[in-house]
Amino acid sequence: MIDTDLPTAPGVSALTRGFAACLASVTEVPVAGLPLPSGDLSSAVGALRTWLAGRDSGLVPVADPTRFQWPGWWIAVVRTPDTEVATVAFGTPPGIVLSPQDPALLGRATVELTITAAYAVASLDPVLRSVAATPDLHGTVEALAIAPAAEVEMQMLEVARAVAGRGLEGDRYAARAGTFTPRGDTRPGYDLTLMAAEVLDELTAAGVAVDFAATRRNVLTRGIDVNALVGRRFRIGDVLCEGFRLCEPCVHLDRLSGPGLLRPLIHKGGLRADVLTDGEIRSGALIEPA
């Protein structure tokens, strides 16, 4: 995602220009390269769909934006007291991460807004391409944290006991009491969360100081490509784990830990993993492939 200003185009509505800016941001294409037809938004969407089709992508309408939960980019047309504006939403639950027409909407939860139309940008080719680069799959534990209940302050630990199929003893997700604990207790990926210390270093260098506890993750790592652990088994000390999916940020995190975290942590929010064996995890423990 890139920052994109509202383009100037005589005779083109502000909503169409805002929509084009959002699409340019998501696709990381200069907005000058997108078609900007005159007329209403439906005409513009048709032209932009044709443009995307030439790039093996499409715009998929979202039937019920107020209930849409998808850890990816999507474009939401929001009705404000004065007009309609195009925005980019992200996260589960989602929040606004780009709003060229009305920056005051940044960080707002989509559930709080009146969304008149929404579209997801999707690839027309579902084939998953292999990644050529070899990820670094060795690292160490730099810090540990748990929260005994949903939304309460995280507690830092030097050592934690991991319980297979549950998580870290004393944590709200091990007790099946987390904000996002699935109903029925059957979905994978909710035992443990990992966060790369390098991401926090990057944010600090960019002037956005975030401490580990504010991320509400369990394990702070150093030296390992956390994103590359998706679909892989690995050990933290003697505890066997399996990476399930990225732990993308959401508007809930933004609300608990302060505004401004949602966008900087996109694709850098860490990993959701399952705990496969019991054991202890200590600060300084090695993380390595199983």
Side-chain angles (χ1 to χ4, degrees):
M1 181 179 181
I2 59 174
D3 283 313
T4 305
D5 294 327
L6 198 66
T8 57
V12 178
S13 71
L15 179 57
T16 293
R17 290 184 286 123
F19 196 97
C22 290
L23 184 58
S25 176
V26 169
T27 57
E28 299 191 0
V29 172
V31 70
L34 274 66
L36 287 171
S38 58
D40 59 15
L41 182 61
S42 61
S43 299
V45 167
L48 291 169
R49 275 182 167 148
T50 300
W51 178 83
L52 281 169
R55 292 155 180 80
D56 294 323
S57 298
L59 280 175
V60 181
V62 177
D64 187 355
T66 59
R67 301 179 63 184
F68 190 52
Q69 298 285 318
W70 186 52
W73 318 105
W74 51 288
I75 299 174
V77 178
V78 177
R79 178 180 291 130
T80 68
D82 302 318
T83 186
E84 285 185 314
V85 301
T87 66
V88 176
F90 186 91
T92 53
I96 303 302
V97 295
L98 182 73
S99 181
Q101 294 171 258
D102 188 354
L105 293 176
L106 289 173
R108 293 282 301 277
T110 58
V111 71
E112 301 171 354
L113 304 173
T114 301
I115 300 176
T116 58
Y119 300 87
V121 182
S123 172
L124 301 181
D125 183 359
V127 176
L128 301 178
R129 310 296 179 185
S130 60
V131 179
T134 301
D136 192 340
L137 298 179
H138 294 78
T140 57
V141 174
E142 191 157 293
L144 297 164
I146 61 171
E151 302 191 5
V152 304
E153 187 175 344
M154 299 291 287
Q155 301 173 1
M156 304 301 295
L157 303 174
E158 285 297 317
V159 59
R161 177 158 183 78
V163 180
R166 304 296 290 186
L168 297 186
E169 199 170 81
D171 187 61
R172 75 275 195 203
Y173 281 95
R176 297 299 186 254
T179 300
F180 300 109
T181 296
R183 295 179 181 178
D185 196 18
T186 58
R187 290 168 57 191
Y190 285 86
D191 294 351
L192 192 69
T193 51
L194 288 76
M195 181 78 192
E198 290 83 356
V199 170
L200 303 187
D201 294 344
E202 289 177 11
L203 293 178
T204 299
V208 184
V210 179
D211 64 25
F212 170 52
T215 69
R216 304 194 67 77
R217 308 307 190 235
N218 298 127
V219 181
L220 184 66
T221 70
R222 173 74 67 180
I224 190 168
D225 184 348
V226 169
N227 287 18
L229 293 175
V230 173
R232 298 177 187 266
R233 290 194 173 192
F234 59 96
R235 293 188 184 277
I236 308 178
D238 61 353
V239 176
L240 181 63
C241 303
E242 184 170 14
F244 182 68
R245 64 178 174 87
L246 297 185
C247 189
E248 294 285 15
C250 64
V251 73
H252 176 72
L253 176 65
D254 218 46
R255 180 174 63 83
L256 288 183
S257 298
L261 282 183
L262 178 57
R263 182 167 173 178
L265 290 181
I266 289 174
H267 302 331
K268 298 180 179 181
L271 176 79
R272 286 193 177 277
D274 289 319
V275 177
L276 304 183
T277 62
D278 296 347
E280 283 189 345
I281 298 177
R282 293 181 175 274
S283 182
L286 295 178
I287 307 172
E288 55 191 358

